[in-house]
Amino acid sequence: MYNDEFQSAFHVDGSTGRVDARAMVPGAEQGSQVVQGERAGYVVGRSRVSVFSKSTLSVEDTRTPPATEQPVVLEVAGGPYLVYRNAGQVVRLGDPAATVPAGGPLSRPTATSDGTVWLHRTDTGSLCGLTRAATRLVCHARLTQGHSGSLTVVDDQPVVVDTTSDTLSTVGEGGLGEPAAIGIDLPASAQVANSAVAGRLAVVDPERNRLLLVDTAGLHKRPVAQPVVVELPKDGRFSEPVTTSNVVAVVDQTRNVLMTYDGSGAPKARTQIPGNGGSPRLARGEDNRIYVDSPDGSHVLVVDGESGSVANVPVDGEDPEEPTPQATGATPTPPGVPATPPGAPGRVNAVAGDGSATVTWAAAAPNGAKVTSYHLSWSGGSTRVSGTTLRTTVSGLTNGTSYVITVVAENSVGRGPGASTGSVVPQRRAAAPRVTVKAASGTYTVTWNQPDLGGGTLVHYLVSAQGQADRRVTSRSTQYTGISGTVTVRAVTRFGPSGSPTVRGAAGSAKVPVPTGPPTVEILSVRSVSTGLRVTVRADGKGSAATCQASFLQIKSASVSCSGVTDLTITNVVWFGSISVTATITTAAGSRTDTWTGVPQVVG
């Protein structure tokens, strides 16, 4: 892991719970990841990859990545690999080094023990493998058009989870295996674990805030047990689950809490993740342990892969072999010099919650005497925590009110200077709206109620439909044509005046109705216009996309998309008296016609 404060990559031995190696890598970007191969380690940032020798622990090279995004890292045989999902690029840092284009955006990758990296193209649905030492992808299968899904590994076999049809299928050179039903409805946003645990797949359902353990026995044509459902905190945001042979680990990103469960869904541990900055990172090690890096690299939580117990390993900057005061960046107090009050805490930050704020800070310089406590104060209140605590949640705040929170360190001599957060506004996100989707004449009408806004002001609703760009809607309805899957609606609110930060509410969702039977078409009128005959029809695709065409004798109009009342024009025709006109509607479910006989109405 990389520690921002000490500009170093540290190696943690999971079996002993100790830091046993350190490589100085100055200048790496904040939040860089560390990944290791057989002979080298790599500190991976958005704009630079620093390479250091595992034998000398010194930097030997720097490389420029193919994209300025944080990649997904995979430590597998023949690797390690960096997968740039948005850019569609795969970088092999091992031997032979290579950059392999995937041709389009990717979902989260996975890998099997032979060193093959498996990838899912989200734009085309292609399921592809990059074998060890290969320089191009081989695509073996493809998800059904319009379906969404994720890749995982079950019994060292790549498996795709189709979240549209709610099925599992193996992926191999022969294509997709026979689909096995999951037994529960998964949203397109489902987050699937990297591998199975005790014969089940761990899936986080962010729409309903729950952890699902899905039986994989259907892949082997055995009876499938009902999924295990574990309720997660309703106001939380959660990481993708990571698993070992018997443990599932999930981070509640709202509270920065690591939660572990066994293969049956029983809770094992709940641990606060120390450190400041962004979101912690989870990774499964080759030793069947899960490692959770704090955002700033100040701690590593080591999860035992059998029991689910958690050990907290602090990274204090000391040399693993010969600890010295200089290694920590601190200046030792010379003998005979009296202690003084501590310095100001560093990197003080606050993140808003519901009637609360989570405050983090870096340790204050002790100045010759151990820091015994930290004091936090704000308008209307104060609290005190121990001198080893660098994170706490202040509660009892008023949503929508701006607060500045000051942190002061104290030792046996007295209190030092304070350091303050920026302005933070507590807020509660809106509840999930109740969503309905109705189909009529090929058009899907989505409606929803106004949910509890949590005391905030509604900015707009964010509506998401599969295969469509997100919509910002201020009313409580919108319409689509030609969609499938699930429609999701969230209320976006703000606390404070216009321009204040916005908060996304919980998601409400509804399934798009499946088309019911063949289409219908009815000719409403036939009129004589300057360009020929205008045929007005009422078209109903019964939920499917439809095209319509009108004909008179052997002359036909253009075939156009139709839904509801639609005009069709037959050009370059001449007629006398009563005539016969036919209209045809066509969908994937079939076609229907209607015939009209009479004298066209003349339009002046």
Side-chain angles (χ1 to χ4, degrees), residues 549-571:
Q549 189 173 45
S551 62
F552 166 56
L553 299 178
Q554 302 300 317
I555 304 173
K556 297 181 179 181
S557 72
S559 180
V560 300
S561 296
C562 53
S563 176
V565 176
T566 304
D567 286 334
L568 309 169
T569 301
I570 307 172
T571 59

Side-chain angles (χ1 to χ4, degrees), residues 322-336:
E322 298 178 8
T324 64
Q326 287 79 8
T328 67
T331 302
T333 302

Side-chain angles (χ1 to χ4, degrees), residues 104-109 118-128 143 147-151 160:
L106 303 165
S107 67
R108 180 185 54 77
W118 293 91
L119 304 158
H120 168 220
R121 280 271 303 271
T122 57
D123 55 346
T124 64
S126 296
L127 302 167
C128 311
L143 276 179
H147 285 215
S148 57
S150 297
L151 281 168
V160 63

Side-chain angles (χ1 to χ4, degrees), residues 434-477:
R434 295 188 305 275
V435 183
T436 60
V437 182
K438 294 184 178 180
S441 301
T443 299
Y444 295 95
T445 301
V446 185
T447 59
W448 57 91
N449 71 313
Q450 177 173 298
D452 178 2
L453 299 180
T457 300
L458 178 68
V459 178
H460 56 256
Y461 294 100
L462 189 66
V463 187
S464 303
Q466 187 172 304
Q468 302 283 331
D470 287 351
R471 295 181 180 180
R472 295 182 177 184
V473 181
T474 54
S475 62
R476 292 201 294 274
S477 68

Side-chain angles (χ1 to χ4, degrees), residues 22-47:
R22 173 182 181 177
M24 293 291 295
V25 187
E29 298 161 288
Q30 186 174 10
S32 293
Q33 303 175 79
V34 179
V35 61
Q36 61 179 330
E38 292 183 2
R39 295 183 296 274
Y42 307 85
V43 178
V44 181
R46 289 179 176 271
S47 61

Side-chain angles (χ1 to χ4, degrees), residues 395-439:
S395 57
L397 306 181
T398 301
N399 285 336
T401 299
S402 177
Y403 293 89
V404 174
I405 302 172
T406 300
V407 184
V408 174
E410 182 178 15
N411 61 13
S412 59
V413 180
R415 296 188 184 186
S420 299
T421 68
S423 176
V424 61
V425 181
Q427 48 205 357
R428 175 163 60 93
R429 69 173 183 165
R434 295 188 305 275
V435 183
T436 60
V437 182
K438 294 184 178 180

Side-chain angles (χ1 to χ4, degrees), residues 125-261:
S126 296
L127 302 167
C128 311
L130 179 65
T131 57
R132 185 171 179 172
T135 56
R136 67 183 184 89
L137 298 178
V138 176
C139 297
H140 303 285
R142 178 175 293 181
L143 276 179
T144 303
Q145 185 176 6
H147 285 215
S148 57
S150 297
L151 281 168
T152 186
V153 171
V154 179
D155 298 329
D156 205 30
Q157 170 78 29
V159 169
V160 63
V161 182
D162 187 324
T163 55
T164 303
S165 62
D166 296 324
T167 57
L168 306 176
S169 301
T170 57
V171 182
E173 293 182 0
L176 289 180
E178 184 177 343
I182 290 174
I184 198 167
D185 179 27
L186 294 180
S189 57
Q191 299 168 268
V192 182
N194 52 310
S195 61
V197 52
R200 290 180 179 269
L201 273 180
V203 181
V204 167
D205 179 350
E207 306 295 342
R208 299 176 179 85
N209 287 28
R210 58 186 184 175
L211 172 67
L212 308 173
L213 295 172
V214 176
D215 190 5
T216 63
L219 293 171
H220 306 290
K221 298 183 180 180
R222 297 197 302 266
V224 178
Q226 285 295 313
V228 175
V229 179
V230 179
E231 297 297 334
L232 300 175
K234 292 303 181 186
D235 59 346
R237 290 185 302 108
F238 304 97
S239 68
E240 291 179 343
V242 174
T243 60
T244 65
S245 59
N246 196 47
V247 171
V248 181
V250 177
V251 170
D252 180 345
Q253 296 172 332
T254 302
R255 300 170 179 81
N256 234 30
V257 169
L258 170 67
M259 301 177 293
T260 60
Y261 305 86

